[in-house]
Amino acid sequence: MVETGDNRLAKLNSCYTDADSADKTLFAEMRSNCLLYIGNHYSNNKDSVLRDFVRTQKIPQDKKLRLTKNHIGAICDRLINATVTSHSPSAVIGPRHKMEVQDKKAADIASSVWDKIKSFNKVDELIADLAFDFIVVGEVATFTYFDPSKGEYLGEAEIIEEATGAVIGKKHKFSGEIVIKRLEPFNLLRCPTAKSWETSPWLIYREMVDVEEAKRLTNDEEVKAKISQSADETFVVFDSQKGQYSQSSKDKVLVKHKFYRPCEEYPEGWYVLYTSDTIIS
């Protein structure tokens, strides 16, 4: 039986639902860690907790329990600063064999490329953000990829329809850049049957993206219409830096990146980008 696009999308959505529920407790703990760091950690059930203490007669009726000072943020800041200043030295690329000219040339080229990547991605700031994730959130994740829409502007390029080979328009062309993107760990999902992210046969990363930005990822008008349809969904979004929850706006759409590791079904691996209503690429 040939798998249709609708069947594949249904399977992707089903896998996402299962993966979303697999680590809900862990993700809730990560968000709580952020709230503790910021100091916005008082929950609605604090009164019931106090009542439990009173009920067990550990606190007299005329006494009240209240946390007056939270040192977690200050302690985490010291740990983050120590991690950034003492444990994150810059990488230096050198030749494998110091006496061989070919190795020296290869090392010089690689060092030049790495310097450009560090400059474009502002690696010093990235390391500080990753240290925050490591100390406060408890997990660190990045996504490294080549983005053809970044870099130096090279002019216009023709858009050719694959089926007919006809020129159907033009688009702006850039030199491209290697991007190191910081991922929020509670938005990285694994296969429910896997014991860890490292052994999971696939991974899903979800993010809110501007609708127009998502539309630029495809030339298919039908897919663009379905992206707009997906934007009608409303989600609760958590900001780990501010420790705040907010409603997603109508100009945002939830996009999922799914990465299959090389396996029997996908010997070279497979990457798919999709929303709840359509497969983008």
Side-chain angles (χ1 to χ4, degrees):
M1 179 179 177
V2 178
E3 186 178 43
T4 64
D6 290 340
N7 289 338
R8 174 167 287 183
L9 180 61
K11 287 184 178 180
L12 289 171
N13 286 331
S14 177
C15 283
Y16 171 77
T17 302
D18 294 340
D20 185 35
S21 60
D23 290 307
K24 274 196 171 182
T25 303
L26 176 61
F27 294 158
E29 181 182 347
M30 290 179 180
R31 296 185 181 98
S32 295
N33 290 342
C34 296
L35 295 176
L36 282 167
Y37 168 79
I38 293 169
N40 183 18
H41 55 280
Y42 289 104
S43 60
N44 292 329
N45 64 348
K46 61 180 181 294
D47 292 333
S48 63
V49 173
L50 183 57
R51 285 196 300 270
D52 289 340
F53 273 108
V54 175
R55 192 181 302 115
T56 56
Q57 298 181 353
K58 291 183 179 180
I59 298 178
Q61 290 286 351
D62 59 340
K63 302 292 184 182
K64 291 184 178 181
L65 180 66
R66 182 174 178 81
L67 182 64
T68 58
K69 189 70 175 177
N70 182 359
H71 297 279
I72 294 176
I75 293 170
C76 288
D77 284 339
R78 293 189 66 177
L79 291 173
I80 292 169
N81 290 335
T83 301
V84 171
T85 57
S86 303
H87 304 291
S88 58
S90 297
V92 177
I93 301 174
R96 175 173 293 183
H97 303 97
K98 295 183 179 180
M99 302 305 295
E100 293 201 13
V101 177
Q102 193 65 29
D103 281 4
K104 289 182 179 180
K105 289 182 178 179
D108 289 341
I109 294 173
S111 181
S112 176
V113 172
W114 175 235
D115 286 341
K116 186 179 180 182
I117 293 173
K118 287 195 296 182
S119 175
F120 178 80
N121 290 280
K122 300 179 180 178
V123 166
D124 290 340
E125 295 179 15
L126 176 63
I127 290 175
D129 289 337
L130 296 180
F132 172 89
D133 289 342
F134 179 71
I135 300 297
V136 178
V137 182
E139 292 286 350
V140 177
T142 60
F143 174 29
T144 303
Y145 62 100
F146 180 78
D147 190 339
S149 67
K150 306 289 185 183
E152 183 182 352
Y153 179 61
L154 302 178
E156 292 186 334
E158 295 179 340
I159 301 175
I160 300 176
E161 189 176 23
E162 294 183 4
T164 63
V167 177
I168 57 176
K170 292 186 177 182
K171 63 180 180 179
H172 297 296
K173 186 177 181 181
F174 296 84
S175 60
E177 288 285 355
I178 294 176
V179 178
I180 306 175
K181 185 175 183 177
R182 171 199 176 202
L183 306 184
E184 292 181 312
F186 43 78
N187 285 327
L188 183 63
L189 313 179
R190 63 175 174 85
C191 176
T193 59
K195 294 183 178 180
S196 66
W197 280 274
E198 289 78 8
T199 59
S200 179
W202 47 259
L203 296 171
I204 298 174
Y205 178 70
R206 58 188 174 193
E207 63 176 339
M208 300 302 298
V209 177
D210 289 336
V211 172
E212 294 305 317
E213 181 181 344
K215 288 181 178 179
R216 286 196 290 270
L217 299 173
T218 180
N219 294 322
D220 191 317
E221 294 301 325
E222 183 179 351
V223 173
K224 289 182 179 181
K226 289 184 177 180
I227 290 174
S228 297
Q229 179 181 333
S230 298
D232 292 335
E233 297 180 274
T234 303
F235 301 92
V236 177
V237 182
F238 180 75
D239 188 330
S240 61
Q241 296 293 326
K242 298 179 181 179
Q244 296 177 349
Y245 290 91
S246 61
Q247 294 285 340
S248 60
S249 60
K250 291 296 184 180
D251 59 348
K252 298 277 188 179
V253 60
L254 181 64
V255 171
K256 298 113 174 177
H257 307 257
K258 188 168 187 179
F259 308 85
Y260 282 86
R261 301 183 193 275
C263 58
E264 185 174 350
E265 185 177 2
Y266 304 107
E268 297 181 355
W270 185 53
Y271 166 74
V272 58
L273 179 67
Y274 66 103
T275 69
S276 58
D277 294 305
T278 185
I279 295 176
I280 300 175
S281 64

